[in-house]
Amino acid sequence: MQKKNILVRVTVFFLSLTIFLQIGQIDVSAADYWPEGPAVESPNVILMEMSTGTVLYEKNSMERNYPASITKILTALIALEHSDLNEIVTFSDEAIDNTEGSGIARDYGEQMTMEQCLYAVMLGSANECAYAVAEHVGGTVEAFVDMMNAKAAELGCLDTHFCNPHGLFEEEHYTTCHDMALIARAAYQNENFRIITGTARYTIPPTNKHDEPTPLTNHNEMLYPWQTLKYRYEYCTGGKTGWTAVARSTLVTYAEKDGMSLVCVVMHTEPPSQWVDSTNLFEYGFDNFQICNIADNETRYDTSKAADAGILNNGNRAFVDIDENAGIILPKTTEFADAASEIRYDSVREDVAGTLVYTYAGREVGRADIVRTGIEIQGFVFDNQKEETQNGSEETGRRLIQINPLLITLIVAAVAILVFLLFVIKHFVDNYYIIRHNMEVRRSRREQFRKVRSRRRHRRRRRW
């Protein structure tokens, strides 16, 4: 009995050891792996890949903060969308009197082009220029602010409200890192904005109020290290700084490397954390992630296979194609096939049949539109038919038969009426003599009835 107990214990031990080893050998699913981000000092940050909108890293990115002068990114975007760079902006008294802080010392009635104003807004963070731009584009600053809030809502911002075009402190003037990344991403898609925000230095020529030119330098030290070379980042392509006593330091920065474009937003931090944290986050993004072109890698939705069945193909061309410019963002340690995908049919565009939506590690990592190619289904064709060409000559070809439902309906109705008339005529012809005899009998009876009535009237008269 004792030997039996020992044998049972040994068996249980080895079974337990086997199960333990098997559990220890279970790998983490590739779809669950997301590279760990760096430690950052700033309380609110986000790093977003701009072509897909994928958030690579975030820390309290949904918390409200005061944006300070990074507000001017949206100001510049709306101005670029609703004005021409050559338009003349005139500075009102209110633009001078109602602004303080950073500026370029403009005067009452001074005139500059919209382009010059936007360089002053983005490089010099000039508050009076932002005010003048808002008045020029919106008619009033209040109307322009309404345009700002409408644009923010259009871009998907859920916790943002602007009260002015320059970012000076107001209690109800707030946003989040996530919403600011959406705004910054939309602005970067505008070519003129990219040029302006990526300019290190710019000179405003003499104006009607200033005889001397006004030099400007970009305040973003990651792009143009006008104070120290310490924070310059070689892949930086632009951005916007901000600071107020309440908002503290805020920063939006763009960077591009290896075909990948990133935007980093830092809010409510203290110098030099905005520079250090942004640089570390960019390095994290470029070192750990890659862009994969969807059209080049997707094999689960091969339109050519459908074409083999003759359903989605016309002359060896598919009726739909995957957007050749779309991509997804994935960790460099994974493969394209690791991303899950689904087709959604909620697009409002007529040329889009659906959208491929890709997810990985519990987050959306990219989309691709399934675009209609414009190929149309051909009608029935017959050989040995001729059609006139544009130059008036005739050549052998194929003619399409086009079916008009209304015309067919009219033809069917006409045939039915004709058949009915033929039936009536045939019935009349077949029964002509019978019909004639009946008519004569009726006429004879009416004549007899008339004679009878006449005799009766004659008899009555004789009695009287």
Side-chain angles (χ1 to χ4, degrees):
M1 179 65 69
Q2 186 175 3
K3 291 182 180 180
K4 185 177 181 179
N5 290 337
I6 294 173
L7 181 61
V8 170
R9 291 176 182 176
V10 171
T11 303
V12 170
F13 171 77
F14 278 106
L15 286 173
S16 301
L17 180 62
T18 301
I19 294 172
F20 174 78
L21 291 175
Q22 288 177 346
I23 294 175
Q25 292 175 352
I26 295 177
D27 294 329
V28 176
S29 173
D32 294 329
Y33 172 73
W34 197 262
E36 184 177 356
V40 294
E41 295 293 330
S42 302
N44 306 97
V45 299
I46 193 171
L47 179 69
M48 178 183 288
E49 198 283 317
M50 288 192 286
S51 68
T52 63
T54 303
V55 176
L56 306 184
Y57 180 92
E58 69 88 27
K59 176 182 176 183
N60 302 322
S61 64
M62 300 294 187
E63 286 185 0
R64 284 186 185 179
N65 281 289
Y66 300 112
S69 285
I70 60 176
T71 299
K72 296 182 175 81
I73 291 177
L74 183 55
T75 300
L77 174 60
I78 293 178
L80 289 168
E81 289 181 341
H82 294 88
S83 67
D84 188 271
L85 292 177
N86 294 320
E87 293 180 14
I88 301 299
V89 178
T90 302
F91 285 73
S92 67
D93 292 356
E94 290 77 12
I96 307 301
D97 296 337
N98 294 343
T99 54
E100 58 184 8
S102 60
I104 58 171
R106 296 299 91 174
D107 204 349
Y108 303 110
E110 188 155 2
Q111 292 185 327
M112 292 166 45
T113 66
M114 177 61 71
E115 181 178 28
Q116 294 163 1
C117 287
L118 292 180
Y119 273 104
V121 167
M122 291 301 296
L123 275 62
S125 199
N127 292 329
E128 78 272 39
C129 292
Y131 197 105
V133 165
E135 283 187 320
H136 179 85
V137 174
T140 65
V141 170
E142 292 75 18
F144 186 85
V145 170
D146 289 341
M147 296 170 67
M148 295 175 68
N149 288 315
K151 184 67 175 181
E154 175 189 326
L155 296 175
C157 299
L158 300 177
D159 204 5
T160 291
H161 184 264
F162 293 113
C163 296
N164 60 64
H166 39 64
L168 290 173
F169 174 74
E170 292 190 46
E171 189 70 31
E172 294 302 311
H173 188 94
Y174 56 81
T175 187
T176 67
C177 283
H178 183 270
D179 287 358
M180 200 65 225
L182 296 178
I183 294 170
R185 178 193 180 199
Y188 203 71
Q189 294 172 1
N190 186 289
E191 182 180 4
N192 287 323
F193 179 87
R194 291 197 303 272
I195 294 172
I196 293 173
T197 193
T199 300
R201 291 178 294 180
Y202 182 83
T203 299
I204 299 175
T207 69
N208 61 322
K209 296 291 184 177
H210 282 80
D211 296 331
E212 299 295 327
T214 304
L216 303 171
T217 56
N218 200 311
H219 290 183
N220 190 337
E221 295 187 35
M222 295 178 67
L223 177 71
Y224 180 70
W226 57 281
Q227 290 184 338
T228 173
L229 291 172
K230 186 176 182 180
Y231 304 115
R232 183 180 182 277
Y233 185 63
E234 62 177 319
Y235 303 112
C236 177
T237 57
K240 184 71 190 75
T241 60
W243 184 92
T244 66
V246 179
R248 311 311 297 167
S249 289
T250 62
L251 178 66
V252 173
T253 309
Y254 303 103
E256 295 182 3
K257 180 184 178 184
D258 297 334
M260 189 185 304
S261 299
L262 306 180
V263 60
C264 182
V265 182
V266 179
M267 299 184 74
H268 199 67
T269 192
E270 301 296 333
S273 294
Q274 72 270 37
W275 316 119
V276 175
D277 289 344
S278 296
T279 298
N280 290 338
L281 286 171
F282 281 138
E283 289 296 288
Y284 158 77
F286 291 132
D287 289 345
N288 290 278
F289 295 92
Q290 62 182 333
I291 288 284
C292 298
N293 183 273
I294 295 175
D296 292 342
N297 291 277
E298 183 56 77
T299 58
R300 289 165 285 191
Y301 307 95
D302 189 354
T303 56
S304 64
K305 292 181 179 179
D308 292 338
I311 299 174
L312 298 177
N313 181 274
N314 183 36
N316 295 323
R317 287 188 59 192
F319 288 108
V320 294
D321 280 333
I322 297 175
D323 182 2
E324 61 182 12
N325 297 317
I328 62 174
I329 184 79
L330 290 172
K332 290 184 176 179
T333 54
T334 61
E335 298 180 355
F336 183 89
D338 294 327
S341 66
E342 64 172 324
I343 301 179
R344 297 181 186 173
Y345 302 95
D346 53 0
S347 176
V348 297
R349 290 173 48 188
E350 293 185 357
D351 62 329
V352 175
T355 304
L356 286 170
V357 181
Y358 292 82
T359 55
Y360 176 84
R363 66 193 75 196
E364 185 176 317
V365 293
R367 293 185 172 208
D369 288 332
I370 303 174
V371 184
R372 294 185 175 91
T373 60
I375 299 299
E376 297 180 357
I377 300 176
Q378 300 297 317
F380 295 102
V381 294
F382 297 89
D383 292 332
N384 302 322
Q385 291 183 339
K386 294 184 179 182
E387 58 183 359
E388 188 174 350
T389 59
Q390 292 182 354
N391 60 6
S393 63
E394 292 186 355
E395 59 182 12
T396 303
R398 293 181 177 180
R399 181 175 299 168
L400 301 180
I401 295 181
Q402 299 180 351
I403 300 176
N404 189 321
L406 179 59
L407 180 60
I408 292 178
T409 302
L410 294 175
I411 293 174
V412 171
V415 171
I417 294 173
L418 180 61
V419 170
F420 176 76
L421 292 175
L422 291 174
F423 174 79
V424 171
I425 294 171
K426 183 178 185 302
H427 176 76
F428 178 79
V429 171
D430 292 343
N431 299 275
Y432 172 75
Y433 293 104
I434 297 175
I435 294 172
R436 182 179 178 183
H437 172 73
N438 291 337
M439 291 176 65
E440 290 178 350
V441 169
R442 292 191 188 98
R443 186 167 53 253
S444 176
R445 288 177 179 177
R446 285 196 298 270
E447 184 65 24
Q448 292 177 1
F449 179 74
R450 186 181 62 78
K451 291 179 179 180
V452 170
R453 289 182 61 186
S454 177
R455 293 191 191 103
R456 288 177 180 176
R457 284 196 299 270
H458 181 69
R459 290 172 184 172
R460 290 193 199 100
R461 290 192 189 109
R462 291 181 64 183
R463 289 175 185 173
W464 288 99

